[in-house]
């Protein structure tokens, strides 16, 4: 703390060397006994025993007890008197001598619990208004809006101190790891061009170029690809990105990504790099050993087995295909669906035979909300198959159901039949998550990573009657399928990969198209005409045509990753100054109105909103 | 490169393990002789000797020569034929054997100059359009607008590769240094509230909150102070900041700062921290030993001695005060100015006696442009004092001029008299810089750091008839002067410090006000009323009143620092994607027009610009 030169202590009425801490509060241990020290911090707890006053002084390192005892310091009577005026979160500098606490008064919960500082003098650095909520309180019972309004008090709480420090460690590990793997940190612009696909951009009017707008980046996608074209080989950045979406619970208008890109590589190189990263990160922050390589699951296998493209593998339930049971069965509705190319899928629930009629009907209601036209339910009680459909099945079909459905005595089986494989699986996947949570099937201590790979390249939008890119339009199709791209786009798989942790997509990436002819073909399939393509990202098509290396990369969602590492429920708890679901900062009151003159300078005006 | 598992080589018609580099181009040294290798890169230079074809293949690590010789590879005749189609910046994967170059054909300029790769096969990864300028060309003769339009080609040049890698190293050093000094990296919001003072904000319309706007931050000033109030003790961030100014040569609408803040400290702590930082940075990047501590110069001393608050100490010239010469002198105009509280200051120029009449009159012209009402010139030739004013001075006055002005035989002395000390000194300071450059007085190899401290707290604006903050309104006045603040604001000094390198302000900071009463007093002196203060930064005044520790910090301009470390002339040369002086990105064509529907969503419309 400070330089090695001896310093003038300075005037005792100002904060200077005379008052500057010689130890952090949390580091006043037994080794300090007998030492004349100076500590700086906030009054946390305070006990006034009339004659003697105790305060716990806090800084980020911890708490230490300070005693104001006129008997021990008869030469400084006003110190005790002035101490009586101290209140919670007053900010102080204290000079005093460290002594051992009297026997029986130690506090084993504190690292400094065996000592106390006998105050010789103190300087009140600043007082505090009465607090809107208790800062020392460890619980999260305080209303979140109040916490966000007084964020500076909220951030003094141990949990928030911990969370933001973990996030900082995450950054530090990330950079060291990537730099030791030859990645170069390069900044891409924040004031950039509106992006073609995806969510809404935030726009920034240009004063110097009337009538035009910058966009804040949704991701540095095109710029990082251009850096590969520029020969930088391995790029990374921890970067703010922006999406003007209607906010769901776990979204923020600005969010942070670990963004990286590599040249002359294939999928394996990115995935191995990220596996090493996650292994190191979890070891560094949580001392957890994460096994690598991660399991890799094809998109359609993930849908078939877990009904999700970001399955939570902590839940020990898997979907099964009942096609073989009902293909030739006497129960017509299922047979018909199968004959017409539909599916009959099921989720077995061990122990589910004990579900009550009420519980079953609740589950039925939910699956309908999720989009199922109906839910078939079987329960196996005392080796007897029960359920409304049982009467339509013969002995052999019932046996086959038990075998294929993995249905043992005491279990239940939930069945969804639908013309859409994706729909049937997704409903059961949602049920899988729900049962995992409500029935306590999730191993909360587990960290289950996997890769989901081979996503479809294109999705058909019935509404818009056109194909759209499932990842983004710069993702490369699987090369062996290139020739068939125009004839059957629905079958083409993308060289895309998502990394999933405990049911959270924590990152996604792909090998990119590095051939401008292929890029044009993809645009054309997406219904982006030649002219439109030129206008939107002509500069990028140009760049592709000056010698582009094969390249690919990934972006990791830092907020979500930090949240998981902190065991939090909301990304707001790992951000210093988050916004609400109305995209407002309750602390600073942004966004706010602006003088008309300012808008005129920007060549814009507000349109009155109709009621 | 890649995981340890053995891999399928894959189909030779796609880029995969079969083609992926086993060495970087620049790392094909003598130790590789005899090795069957794979390299990936771009065709840089190409020589076709009819029978034999040579290409230099480039990646970020360097160049290696590849030979297509049908005599050496008679089993692969089409490789040589296809090689003939290769052109500059085509992107390739090459398989071949490393051999020693025939004697006499080595290239000592290349790290790989003793070897070459005999091509056995290659895959053209992507071709290139004809280049708009030569990428291999080391000179900067190419028009900058062309370079910015084809930035991906410009960035392939050795110098730009070097610059951006140095910048990345600067980041890396910065983070390691600050983290080893217990700083925590915390992100502050990009979508924030319009700031009160300083330059224009970039505004971002809110879709969700009609009629309101976010501002992009000019600096995280208030948020970092709030982090100190939140108990984080030491914060840092390498952060993008934004200013909507009319751009001067060396400004960008978005720029990057190393931003830090510390609690329970005084000026010395920040300055010592930054001195250690600069010492380490210059050692790491340039192997330069920077002496510390840096010299500290009071603002008014810097003005008096160098006529600048960011003096370039590489120039061995200092201003002198001629007050003692002319106070009682017979020359009336100077005496009058002194009597009325003005100053007579001078810049001696060793060797300046040889300046011609023409050169002198050019200098006079320039000083007038800079604001001088006139320039007095003395030259000392053969111990004889010359100049238009000499005739108004007696012998004793001439001697005193020589002594006090430090005027030796062969020298010149430039004199400015003005009612304003700042004006007189600044004119001479500008002349000092000019003479330093034009007369080659600058030691280009030197790194001259200093601190400028004790800036005035307030500046009087004649135009607006009010005081304004010289740094920003959160800067603390010198505590000992606090009581006099309201009676004589012009005399109050600020606890501010700028770090200056070779005449560039590379950083500035201050100890902040930590007392909300003092903060209110400063606002009131700045003419910011109670109500206005509440509206603009009520949240910050609130925060100050819940127990604020003494704190201070600094922000360093990364772009300028990186530029100096790279020996560059423009910050654009250390930014991957800079904007022009019209705030445009020539690469992506941002800013751009936006569909009216998009604007309507944001509740704004454009105002037509009048011609």
């Amino acid at each position: 703390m400070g330089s090695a030169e001896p310093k003038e202590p300075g005037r005792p009425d100002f904060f200077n060397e005379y008052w500057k801490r010689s130890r952090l509060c949390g580091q006043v241990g037994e080794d300090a006994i007998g030492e004349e020290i100076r500590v700086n911090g906030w009054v946390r707890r305070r006990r006034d025993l009339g004659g003697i006053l105790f305060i716990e002084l806090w800084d980020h390192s911890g708490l230490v007890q300070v005693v104001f005892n006129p008997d021990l310091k008869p030469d400084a009577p006003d110190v005790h008197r002035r101490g009586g005026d101290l209140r919670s979160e007053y900010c102080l500098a204290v000079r005093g001598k460290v002594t051992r606490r009297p026997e029986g008064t130690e506090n084993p919960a504190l690292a400094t619990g065996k000592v106390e500082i006998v105050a010789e003098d103190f300087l009140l650095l600043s007082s505090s208004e009465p607090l809107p909520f208790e800062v020392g309180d460890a619980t999260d019972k305080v209303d979140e809006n109040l916490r966000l309004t007084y964020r500076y008090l909220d951030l003094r709480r141990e949990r928030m101190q911990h969370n933001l420090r973990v996030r900082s460690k995450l950054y530090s590990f990330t950079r060291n790891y990537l730099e030791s793997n030859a990645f170069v940190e390069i900044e891409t612009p924040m004031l950039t061009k509106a992006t073609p696909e995806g969510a809404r951009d935030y726009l920034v009017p240009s004063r110097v170029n009337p009538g035009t707008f910058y966009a804040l980046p949704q991701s540095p996608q095109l710029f990082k690809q251009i850096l590969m074209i520029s020969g930088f080989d391995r790029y990374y950045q921890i970067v703010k990105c922006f999406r003007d979406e209607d906010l769901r619970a776990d979204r923020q208008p600005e969010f942070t990504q670990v963004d990286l890109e590599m040249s002359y590589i294939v999928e394996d190189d990115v995935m191995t790099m990220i596996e090493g990263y996650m292994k190191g990160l979890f070891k560094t922050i949580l001392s957890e050993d994460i096994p690598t390589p991660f399991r890799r699951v094809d998109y359609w296998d993930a849908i078939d087995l877990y009904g999700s493209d970001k399955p939570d593998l902590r839940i020990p339930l898997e979907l099964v295909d009942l096609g073989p049971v009902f293909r030739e069965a006497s129960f017509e509705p299922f047979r018909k669906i199968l004959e017409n190319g539909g599916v009959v899928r099921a989720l077995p629930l061990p122990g589910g035979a004990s579900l009550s009629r009420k519980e079953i009907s609740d589950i039925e209601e939910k699956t309908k909300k999720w989009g199922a036209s109906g839910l078939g339910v079987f329960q196996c009680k005392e080796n007897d198959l029960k359920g409304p459909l049982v009467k339509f099945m013969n002995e052999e079909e019932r046996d086959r159901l038990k075998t294929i459905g993995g249905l043992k005595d005491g279990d239940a089986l939930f069945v969804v039949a639908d013309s859409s494989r994706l729909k049937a699986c997704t409903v059961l996947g949602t049920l899988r998550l729900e049962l995992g949570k409500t029935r306590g099937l999730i191993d909360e201590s587990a960290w289950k990573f996997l890769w989901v790979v081979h996503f479809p390249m294109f999705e058909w939008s019935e509404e818009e009657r056109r194909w759209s890119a499932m990842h983004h339009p710069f993702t490369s199709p699987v090369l062996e399928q290139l020739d068939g791209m125009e004839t059957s786009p629905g079958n083409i798989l993308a060289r895309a990969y998502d990394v999933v942790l405990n049911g959270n997509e924590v990152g996604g990436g792909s090998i990119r198209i590095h051939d401008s002819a292929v890029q044009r073909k993809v645009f054309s399939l997406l219904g982006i005409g030649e002219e439109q393509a030129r206008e939107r990202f002509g500069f990028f098509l140009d760049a592709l045509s000056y010698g582009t290396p094969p390249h690919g990369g990934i972006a990791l969602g830092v907020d979500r990753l930090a949240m998981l590492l902190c065991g939090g429920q909301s990304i707001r708890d790992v951000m210093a100054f988050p916004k609400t679901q109305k995209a407002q900062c309750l602390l600073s009151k942004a966004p706010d109105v602006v003088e008309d003159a300012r808008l005129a300078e920007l060549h814009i005006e507000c349109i009155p909103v109709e009621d």
Side-chain angles (χ1 to χ4, degrees), chain A:
Chain A
M1 274 167 217
S3 75
E5 281 175 64
K7 290 184 182 162
E8 287 292 313
R11 283 168 54 172
D13 51 344
F14 295 131
F15 182 79
N16 48 38
E17 297 302 325
Y18 183 82
W19 289 110
K20 222 164 69 183
R21 61 195 174 194
S22 57
R23 283 186 184 243
L24 292 171
C25 292
Q27 290 168 0
V28 184
E30 285 177 280
D31 65 314
I33 288 172
E35 201 174 302
E36 298 278 349
I37 66 165
R38 305 178 301 280
V39 286
N40 305 151
W42 289 265
V43 175
R44 187 55 48 96
R45 281 176 208 84
R46 158 176 193 290
R47 277 178 303 143
D48 195 343
L49 307 185
I52 311 179
L53 173 73
F54 296 93
I55 64 165
E56 279 181 358
L57 200 70
W58 173 87
D59 67 21
H60 69 283
S61 69
L63 292 158
V64 67
Q65 178 159 288
V66 181
V67 191
F68 296 78
N69 186 338
D71 297 339
L72 294 178
K73 297 299 306 172
D75 49 328
D78 78 308
V79 173
H80 178 258
R81 185 185 46 72
R82 289 190 296 127
D85 296 334
L86 295 175
R87 292 295 177 269
S88 283
E89 301 304 319
Y90 278 31
C91 187
L92 304 187
V94 177
R95 292 171 66 101
K97 191 166 183 172
V98 183
T99 62
R100 189 177 293 283
R101 291 199 195 185
E103 212 166 319
T105 69
E106 296 95 343
N107 181 352
L110 285 187
T112 63
K114 289 187 172 159
V115 305
E116 57 193 12
I117 301 171
V118 179
E120 280 161 24
D121 198 2
F122 75 91
L123 179 67
L124 178 60
L125 299 170
S126 57
S127 60
S128 170
E129 297 288 317
L131 302 175
F133 53 83
E134 202 51 64
V135 172
D137 194 353
T139 72
D140 275 335
K141 297 251 171 73
V142 183
D143 173 62
E144 195 184 12
N145 282 355
L146 195 64
R147 286 173 48 206
L148 292 177
T149 304
Y150 296 90
R151 190 59 160 179
Y152 37 91
L153 296 177
D154 189 39
L155 289 176
R156 282 186 201 163
R157 296 188 314 140
E158 203 175 327
R159 186 172 149 219
M160 292 305 298
Q161 288 278 327
H162 169 81
N163 286 0
L164 293 191
R165 283 167 199 275
V166 164
R167 188 176 176 130
S168 180
K169 272 190 206 151
L170 182 159
Y171 285 175
S172 186
F173 172 80
T174 302
R175 296 194 165 102
N176 288 335
Y177 177 83
L178 292 175
E179 284 167 22
S180 72
N181 280 289
F183 284 81
V184 181
E185 179 176 359
I186 302 178
E187 284 169 277
T188 53
M190 291 281 115
L191 295 172
T192 179
K193 193 177 153 83
T195 43
E197 300 261 315
R200 258 184 231 99
D201 291 314
Y202 278 102
L203 296 181
V204 183
S206 167
R207 180 180 56 86
V208 184
N209 304 279
T212 66
F213 295 79
Y214 304 97
L216 299 179
Q218 294 185 34
S219 94
Q221 184 63 34
L222 295 184
F223 285 105
K224 73 172 170 172
Q225 292 192 239
I226 284 175
L227 285 172
M228 294 303 100
I229 300 174
S230 305
F232 278 100
D233 215 272
R234 292 186 173 190
Y235 139 95
Y236 92 95
Q237 195 183 188
I238 300 183
V239 63
K240 274 281 177 77
C241 302
F242 303 84
R243 269 182 212 159
D244 185 8
E245 293 175 309
D246 294 315
L247 300 179
R248 284 183 270 144
D250 209 19
R251 287 280 175 94
Q252 285 281 322
E254 53 181 299
F255 54 98
T256 309
Q257 289 189 344
V258 174
D259 193 49
L260 62 90
E261 197 79 4
M262 306 165 76
S263 285
Y264 300 115
I265 49 99
V266 295
E267 289 89 331
D268 259 0
D269 298 285
V270 180
M271 292 160 94
T272 307
M273 188 63 68
I274 294 303
E275 285 163 356
Y277 168 75
M278 292 295 182
K279 195 180 190 68
L281 180 67
F282 277 71
K283 188 73 185 174
T284 302
I285 308 254
L286 297 178
S287 304
E288 287 277 348
D289 286 305
I290 302 292
T292 53
F294 303 159
R295 195 174 143 196
R296 298 182 187 187
V297 180
D298 277 358
Y299 170 84
W300 276 114
D301 290 341
I303 297 298
D304 285 341
L305 284 170
Y306 310 107
S308 168
D309 60 358
K310 46 175 185 177
D312 188 339
L313 295 189
R314 294 174 304 171
I315 304 171
L317 302 179
E318 288 189 4
L319 278 55
V320 290
D321 183 357
L322 296 188
V325 179
F326 290 102
R327 187 153 294 132
E328 286 154 23
S330 36
F331 185 59
E332 197 179 295
F334 283 5
R335 207 182 62 224
K336 275 276 163 66
I337 283 174
L338 288 166
E339 277 168 6
N340 292 325
V343 298
V344 182
R345 298 293 166 94
L347 178 70
L349 176 67
S354 64
L355 288 170
S356 69
R357 190 174 293 263
K358 168 79 170 69
E359 287 170 314
I360 298 269
S361 100
D362 282 353
I363 288 172
E364 278 174 338
E365 275 312 302
K366 280 185 181 161
T367 54
K368 273 181 198 159
K369 241 191 293 169
W370 300 332
S373 50
L375 184 74
V377 181
F378 295 93
Q379 287 179 303
C380 194
K381 296 179 180 177
E382 292 163 15
N383 275 316
D384 196 12
L385 195 63
K386 310 227 165 184
L389 301 183
V390 171
K391 60 175 176 286
F392 301 107
M393 300 166 74
N394 63 33
E395 181 89 30
E396 197 199 321
E397 286 163 10
R398 291 184 210 170
D399 283 349
R400 230 185 300 155
L401 181 80
K402 283 194 197 168
T403 314
I404 294 179
L407 196 63
K408 292 186 195 62
D409 196 37
D411 296 353
L413 187 72
F414 302 99
V415 184
V416 173
D418 202 284
S419 61
S420 155
R421 173 179 168 193
L422 186 60
K423 162 84 79 60
C425 291
T426 307
V427 168
L428 290 170
T430 312
L431 179 58
R432 177 178 173 272
L433 274 184
E434 169 92 3
L435 292 172
K437 277 176 204 154
T438 55
R439 296 181 64 87
L441 302 177
I442 298 178
D443 176 359
E444 296 286 352
S445 72
W447 298 104
K448 294 286 192 183
F449 278 99
L450 81 155
W451 289 104
V452 177
V453 298
H454 286 148
F455 284 77
M457 182 81 187
F458 304 104
E459 279 177 311
W460 178 253
S461 160
E462 270 304 329
E463 231 171 283
E464 303 181 50
R465 308 290 306 161
R466 68 175 189 97
W467 294 102
S468 68
M470 193 149 172
H471 266 66
H472 56 60
F474 313 105
T475 304
S476 174
V478 166
L479 295 177
E480 288 80 354
Q481 294 184 312
L482 259 182
D483 295 335
M485 193 160 71
E486 276 143 314
T487 49
S488 49
N491 292 334
I492 304 295
L493 298 177
R495 298 181 69 181
Y497 33 80
D498 279 4
V499 56
V500 175
L501 169 57
N502 292 355
N504 297 274
E505 184 205 324
V506 289
S510 63
I511 301 300
R512 327 297 183 184
I513 296 166
H514 71 273
D515 179 326
S516 54
V518 174
Q519 187 67 73
R520 279 199 186 84
K521 229 181 258 182
V522 167
F523 283 156
S524 135
L525 264 166
L526 295 171
I528 303 172
E530 193 78 20
E531 197 183 330
Q532 204 182 357
R534 271 232 70 77
E535 192 183 302
R536 282 181 176 182
F537 21 65
F539 75 102
F540 181 67
L541 286 172
D542 285 346
L544 277 180
S545 62
Y546 283 93
T548 300
H551 64 287
I554 196 166
L556 306 175
V558 169
D559 305 297
R560 193 133 352 136
L561 203 50
M563 177 191 84
L564 292 167
L565 284 167
C566 292
Q569 298 297 311
S570 157
I571 59 170
R572 289 187 297 278
D573 284 344
V574 292
M575 305 176 77
F577 305 106
K579 296 194 170 61
T580 63
Q581 285 198 36
K582 277 210 74 186
Q584 291 168 331
C585 172
L586 296 182
L587 171 65
S588 67
K589 307 291 181 290
D592 203 354
V593 291
V594 164
E595 289 164 33
D596 286 343
R598 298 289 316 281
L599 300 183
E601 275 190 318
L602 301 175
H603 325 286
I604 59 169
E605 60 188 6
C606 288
I607 307 171
V609 179
E610 290 164 37
D611 286 327

